[in-house]
Amino acid sequence: MIKESIYELTIKKLPYQLTVCQLSDIKDLNFKNDFYFFAKTDEELSLVCETKNAPSKTINREDGWRAFKIEGQLDFSLIGILAKIAQLLANNGISIFAVSTFYTDYVLVKDNNFDSAIKILSKNNYEIKYADCKIKLNT
C-alpha cells in the first residue's frame, strides 16, 4: 500500500502561446530561443515551442496551446503528480499534452481551456497563488 503524502508544489504559468509541430529536420531552428522541447523517435520528430518561434516548414502544426510547469526538481520516486492533474482535467472534459524533462513536467492545455483548467485545479483543493502560483497536492 502506498503511504499518503503531501507535496508542496509550485505551478508556474508560462507567459506565451505554444505550438506543437511535426518536423522533417531541425536545421532551421534557432536554439537560442527560451523554450523548445524535442522528441525524436524512429517514426517522427516533434517540437513544442513558442508560436512566434515555430518553423515555417512543418509536416503538421497545431497552434493555440498554453502551459504551466511544475517547478522544482521532482524526484522520480514521487507517484501520481502528473496523473492526478491529468485525471482531474479529463474528468472535466479538458485534454492535456504533457512533456517532461529530467526534473519536471509541463502541462499544455488548449488556450480556450486554460483559464478553466486553472479554476478546476483551484476548486479541487489545489492551492493556487498567482504571484507564486503555489499549489498543495495530496497524493
Side-chain angles (χ1 to χ4, degrees):
M1 179 175 225
I2 298 173
K3 183 180 174 184
E4 184 174 306
S5 303
I6 296 177
Y7 300 103
E8 294 257 352
L9 301 173
T10 300
I11 293 274
K12 181 179 180 182
K13 291 174 25 175
L14 300 183
Y16 27 74
Q17 296 289 318
L18 297 172
T19 293
V20 178
C21 49
Q22 184 182 28
L23 306 174
S24 59
D25 62 60
I26 59 171
K27 67 180 178 183
D28 294 328
L29 298 181
N30 179 357
F31 290 97
K32 293 182 181 181
N33 293 327
D34 288 338
F35 189 90
Y36 275 147
F37 185 88
F38 294 100
K40 183 180 185 303
T41 69
D42 62 336
E43 296 178 344
E44 68 176 299
L45 175 63
S46 295
L47 170 70
V48 177
C49 64
E50 286 185 68
T51 300
K52 69 180 183 179
N53 298 326
S56 58
K57 295 179 184 177
T58 64
I59 298 170
N60 288 305
R61 175 180 171 152
E62 186 166 334
D63 298 329
W65 294 91
R66 299 261 320 270
F68 59 86
K69 81 175 203 176
I70 302 169
E71 285 197 314
Q73 296 181 7
L74 302 179
D75 188 275
F76 286 116
S77 67
L78 298 178
I79 298 169
I81 292 172
L82 183 58
K84 283 184 177 277
I85 292 171
Q87 187 64 52
L88 183 58
L89 296 179
N91 289 345
N92 287 277
I94 298 175
S95 63
I96 68 166
F97 184 88
V99 294
S100 298
T101 65
F102 189 86
Y103 287 130
T104 196
D105 299 313
Y106 292 78
V107 178
L108 284 71
V109 176
K110 290 300 278 187
D111 188 45
N112 63 327
N113 289 323
F114 190 75
D115 291 337
S116 296
I118 296 298
K119 288 177 186 175
I120 289 164
L121 292 172
S122 179
K123 287 180 182 179
N124 283 274
N125 300 321
Y126 284 78
E127 196 176 309
I128 299 172
K129 295 180 183 174
Y130 291 95
D132 295 333
C133 295
K134 288 194 174 185
I135 65 169
K136 187 175 188 180
L137 173 63
N138 293 313
T139 59

